[in-house]
Amino acid sequence: MRRPSVLPPVLLTLLLPAALGAQQRDAKRSTPDTSARRIEPMAVRGSRAPSVTGGATAVVIRPDSLPVPLQPAPALADVLRQTAFVLVRQNSRGETEIGVRGSDSRQAAVLLDGLPLSVGWDSRMDPSILPTTGIEQITVVRGLATLLGGANTLGGVIRLDLNAPLPRRAGGMAPLSRSATLGTGIDQYGSRVLSANLSQPFVLGNGTLRVRGGVSSRARDGFARSGGNPGNGLTGGAADPGDLRNTRLRTNTDQSQLDGFAALRWDNADGAYVGLTATGYTAERGVAPEQHIASPRYWRYPAQSRALGLLTAGTGVRQTPLGYGTLSASVGRTTQDLEIETYANRDYATVTALELGAETTDIARIEGTHSLPGNLQLRVAATDSRVRYDETMAAQNPASVATRYEQRLTSVGTELDIPVHERVLFSGGVVHDRASTPRTGGRESLGTLTQTGWRLGTTLRINDGIRLHASASERARFAALRELYSGALNRFDPNPTLRPETLLGFEGGVTLDGGAFAARGLQLQLVGFAHRLDDAVVRVTLPNRLFRRINRDEIRSHGAEALVSYSPAALRGATITGDVTLQRIRVQDQTITNASDRFAEHNPEQRASLAFISPLMKGIRASAMTRYTGAQYCQHPDLGRQVKLDAQTVGDAALTRTFALRGRGLLQRLTALVAMDNVSNATVYDQCGLPQPGRTLRFGLTLG
């Protein structure tokens, strides 16, 4: 870990006048979302939220248009912390997990240009090391909005658009101009980031070729320690003394990372396209030890890298003998290598164990739509993925060879949209999922598992401003290779007999937007939901103190969500946005008759956020956001029981100012940022013993 650098005086010189200078930032451009197939879109937090038949409105955001601006090219986890309805938390392995509506982190899918990043050895991805360099738009869909997203997609979808379709206008392609963006940022503890993006369009044949590329470098010496009570009332562990060389920072929370991307996309005037995307990153980082237990993990990732390549192609809308249809296909490969070091104590001087992992995931997908008589629309999709993982425990046996694992997942689904009336749309579909494990590292194989899922949804548009929607669905998730076979450096007893989890879900709600509501600057959505997860995979402790995953519990949850955006003319450009999630989650042991319910681990039952964005004097734009997390529970290994984390609130604030440098060409505007995260320096926990960073002052400059 490195000592924080001193804030460069030149950066302060540039930022102080930025807080006092001349004109307001230009309005952000909105990019059409071709996935919004039905019903009118709904604006949320300066962006849009396309609807799905029978489902809640999806939240669409841009990384550069958040309520409280972040540094250039932030990690996906930092973006999602400001996104409605998404739960983000760090776990004891140093990974960040995401959940929607109380779902497990392995039930939410993350897609990059349609390629699932959450298919792999662990069936989830870590958004804390997934950069947003080049990401133009992020879409969050709660619940099971479609059956066509591939296997193991049942608890929400987070879609990242990097090589997105080019803007279109009536009669052909919209004119494009080249663009460049340079950004840098630093905080009071020496964390720094530098990012650059370039986009260049070319006229090629009867279409447009867009070439994009970017690179980002970021480093931090650690997260700031927060105030308050480090133990939050929990016993069994000691407060974090911080880095021995800098007590302001949490122990072993340093990180350095380099990432980049390149993207080519040719769009023909008739809608056909071909795209090629390549991304990659390499990182080194520490893992914060838990504060509440006597023997936490002392881990580091001395090396971690991921590379992705994706080829996509589509026909656009074409006339056929039966009507009109589209066809698209994609094929991609993701490779990931990681090293995990275990240390004897918090001095991080003596390595006691080393795990090496090499993962390769190949995915192919084809999707088509076609019109049918009576204005019906048929959609079909097939997805095939193959995960291979080599695991080596090098410190236990220097001469050991890798243990090899493989999993194959396939999914074939179809959906039909039926317009019952000009204001009523019905949708139904079925999907067949299949999983097999050809290589199991010498352990037992479950053979081939199959599951069939279904979904029904309907939307009623009362008028231009009111629509009602409801849906019901059922789908299964197959256990990941890691859940089945990993020993996790001798902390788990593998269980290769895990059965699939099955989620039955219902939701219904109302959306108010458009018409008189839009005239008043009001958009509101209310949604109620109920879930039942059977054969839930849970972690139990064996007599030898190893953990083991088993199918045992039933998890029932029900609740309500509200999303609001209010921007009346009286506020003169200011916007108030907010979201609330209220739910009740209970876990029941299905193996015990009349067993008492337990609280779900790491799943708060109340969450809310409120943001206010407003122009101030002389072009300065101010924003503030507060996030509330209700009480939650965790299993304390030292005490042998669940313990409670009290409700907690954290607030952030920022000032931005944009200067016009010239009227045309590249690098026309300079935007300066001054922000403070965790203004009150509250101790806010992701889970027991793992607090979020304390008060941090940030500065940033973006030239674009």
Side-chain angles (χ1 to χ4, degrees):
M1 289 174 283
R2 299 166 295 278
R3 187 181 299 275
S5 60
V6 179
L7 185 66
V10 65
L11 186 57
L12 285 174
T13 303
L14 289 170
L15 285 169
L16 288 176
L20 302 174
Q23 71 182 32
Q24 180 181 350
R25 169 181 294 208
D26 293 344
K28 298 290 182 182
R29 297 172 301 184
S30 61
T31 303
D33 183 357
T34 57
S35 69
R37 299 184 301 268
R38 305 171 287 278
I39 315 176
E40 297 80 0
M42 171 180 172
V44 177
R45 288 185 177 167
S47 297
R48 305 181 303 108
S51 300
V52 292
T53 301
T57 303
V59 178
V60 180
I61 57 176
R62 293 177 58 97
D64 59 357
S65 302
L66 295 169
V68 177
L70 297 170
Q71 306 288 47
L76 178 62
D78 296 327
V79 175
L80 294 179
R81 283 194 187 274
Q82 295 192 39
T83 304
F85 309 124
V86 181
L87 175 65
V88 179
R89 67 176 183 88
Q90 184 188 26
N91 64 23
S92 62
R93 294 173 56 93
E95 303 165 333
T96 298
E97 300 182 18
I98 50 180
V100 181
R101 289 182 181 170
S103 66
D104 180 82
S105 57
R106 294 185 179 92
Q107 296 169 354
V110 179
L111 313 178
L112 176 62
D113 287 343
L115 181 74
L117 300 179
S118 46
V119 171
W121 162 249
D122 199 19
S123 286
R124 61 186 177 193
M125 51 76 57
D126 183 357
S128 69
I129 56 171
L130 182 65
T132 57
T133 307
I135 299 296
E136 297 180 310
Q137 182 170 278
I138 300 173
T139 305
V140 179
V141 181
R142 298 108 73 192
L144 185 60
T146 179
L147 299 172
L148 307 184
N152 287 358
T153 304
L154 70 161
V157 174
I158 298 174
R159 192 181 72 227
L160 314 177
D161 294 331
L162 189 150
N163 204 0
L166 295 171
R168 301 184 65 84
R169 63 180 180 181
M173 305 302 301
L176 288 177
S177 59
R178 60 177 182 168
S179 63
T181 303
L182 302 175
T184 186
I186 194 168
D187 70 24
Q188 69 189 92
Y189 299 105
S191 297
R192 52 270 185 200
V193 60
L194 180 64
S195 180
N197 287 276
L198 179 66
S199 176
Q200 175 69 60
F202 301 92
V203 176
L204 183 64
N206 192 31
T208 302
L209 173 68
R210 184 169 63 158
V211 181
R212 299 178 63 228
V215 63
S216 295
S217 173
R218 58 185 59 80
R220 68 168 185 256
D221 297 300
F223 284 132
R225 297 178 63 204
S226 57
N229 178 7
N232 198 32
L234 302 181
T235 60
D240 183 5
D243 188 320
L244 297 178
R245 293 167 293 179
N246 187 342
T247 58
R248 299 177 302 172
L249 302 178
R250 287 180 60 202
T251 298
N252 202 41
T253 54
D254 61 297
Q255 178 175 330
S256 62
Q257 181 170 339
L258 177 68
D259 69 83
F261 81 96
L264 304 174
R265 182 171 176 122
W266 178 76
D267 284 81
N268 195 19
D270 63 3
Y273 68 91
V274 177
L276 178 64
T277 305
T279 71
Y281 66 77
T282 179
E284 174 186 357
R285 60 193 177 115
V287 177
E290 296 169 282
Q291 298 178 7
H292 69 301
I293 60 177
S295 300
R297 281 183 167 124
Y298 297 116
W299 276 21
R300 285 189 63 81
Y301 293 87
Q304 189 169 6
S305 62
R306 180 196 289 266
L308 175 151
L310 175 64
L311 177 65
T312 60
T315 63
V317 180
R318 291 287 186 270
Q319 187 172 7
T320 74
L322 300 177
Y324 293 89
T326 66
L327 186 66
S328 62
S330 59
V331 58
R333 165 170 286 192
T334 302
T335 60
Q336 182 173 213
D337 295 290
L338 64 85
E339 298 180 21
I340 303 175
E341 291 178 342
T342 297
Y343 290 81
N345 52 48
R346 71 171 59 244
D347 292 339
Y348 294 91
T350 303
V351 177
T352 59
L354 174 65
E355 178 180 338
L356 307 177
E359 176 184 313
T360 300
T361 303
D362 296 315
I363 298 179
R365 174 177 171 81
I366 186 169
E367 182 174 7
T369 66
H370 204 285
S371 63
L372 297 175
N375 292 324
L376 277 65
Q377 185 183 59
L378 177 69
R379 297 188 305 279
V380 296
T383 305
D384 179 79
S385 61
R386 180 188 179 196
V387 181
R388 288 160 290 174
Y389 190 81
D390 291 350
E391 181 183 48
T392 306
M393 301 300 181
Q396 298 174 11
N397 181 3
S400 64
V401 296
T403 303
R404 297 193 168 181
Y405 305 94
E406 182 179 341
Q407 185 177 48
R408 189 81 177 264
L409 297 170
T410 59
S411 177
V412 179
T414 181
E415 293 179 331
L416 183 65
D417 287 347
I418 306 172
V420 179
H421 182 269
E422 63 178 4
R423 295 185 179 273
V424 181
L425 183 63
F426 176 82
S427 177
V430 294
V431 64
H432 183 73
D433 298 324
R434 180 177 181 271
S436 62
T437 51
R439 295 184 180 181
T440 62
R443 298 185 174 95
E444 179 183 354
S445 172
L446 281 174
T448 299
L449 300 175
T450 60
Q451 292 285 329
T452 299
W454 55 268
R455 182 181 185 275
L456 300 173
T458 183
T459 296
L460 167 64
R461 189 176 65 181
I462 303 297
N463 54 41
D464 290 341
I466 303 175
R467 58 180 181 269
L468 307 177
H469 37 85
S471 68
S473 61
E474 183 178 64
R475 198 172 189 185
R477 180 190 76 87
F478 302 106
L481 283 171
R482 181 181 159 209
E483 292 177 282
L484 294 167
Y485 303 114
S486 175
L489 293 175
N490 289 327
R491 293 178 66 93
F492 275 83
D493 177 46
N495 181 7
T497 64
L498 290 176
R499 301 183 302 276
E501 300 176 323
T502 302
L503 180 67
L504 176 65
F506 303 89
E507 73 168 70
V510 57
T511 298
L512 311 177
D513 67 345
F517 299 102
R520 292 176 172 83
L522 175 65
Q523 299 165 70
L524 175 66
Q525 184 175 82
L526 302 174
V527 176
F529 62 90
H531 290 168
R532 189 186 75 193
L533 183 68
D534 289 322
D535 285 332
V537 176
V538 297
R539 185 181 70 176
V540 298
T541 304
L542 302 177
N544 60 4
R545 297 192 62 80
L546 290 180
F547 295 121
R548 183 178 175 88
R549 295 183 178 94
I550 62 173
N551 294 99
R552 189 187 65 185
D553 291 347
E554 177 185 89
I555 301 178
R556 291 177 177 265
S557 62
H558 61 270
E561 300 168 333
L563 180 66
V564 62
S565 175
Y566 187 48
S567 183
L571 291 182
R572 299 182 179 181
T575 301
I576 301 173
T577 61
D579 64 90
V580 177
T581 299
L582 303 174
Q583 57 187 342
R584 186 181 189 274
I585 310 173
R586 291 296 181 269
V587 183
Q588 187 174 41
D589 188 340
Q590 298 180 99
T591 65
I592 302 176
T593 304
N594 299 323
S596 60
D597 291 343
R598 305 191 314 276
F599 294 99
E601 195 174 14
H602 311 311
N603 262 313
E605 296 189 335
Q606 300 91 33
R607 289 189 294 118
S609 72
L610 182 66
F612 179 73
I613 305 172
S614 176
L616 299 179
M617 64 182 67
K618 297 185 178 180
I620 299 174
R621 189 172 183 85
S623 58
M625 184 177 191
T626 182
R627 302 189 302 274
Y628 169 83
T629 302
Q632 57 181 307
Y633 295 81
C634 66
Q635 189 69 27
H636 197 302
D638 292 349
L639 302 180
R641 59 177 174 82
Q642 281 193 336
V643 294
K644 179 181 178 180
L645 283 174
D646 295 331
Q648 46 202 7
T649 303
V650 63
D652 308 320
L655 296 174
T656 58
R657 168 72 189 280
T658 299
F659 301 90
L661 302 181
R662 53 181 176 169
R664 57 186 302 178
L666 297 177
L667 307 178
Q668 300 177 25
R669 295 180 296 274
L670 175 67
T671 301
L673 164 70
V674 180
M676 181 173 288
D677 302 328
N678 194 353
V679 175
S680 64
N681 202 28
T683 301
V684 177
Y685 285 86
D686 277 343
Q687 66 180 61
C688 287
L690 292 173
Q692 297 178 21
R695 182 190 296 122
T696 304
L697 184 63
R698 295 187 287 111
F699 306 91
L701 292 173
T702 301
L703 187 62

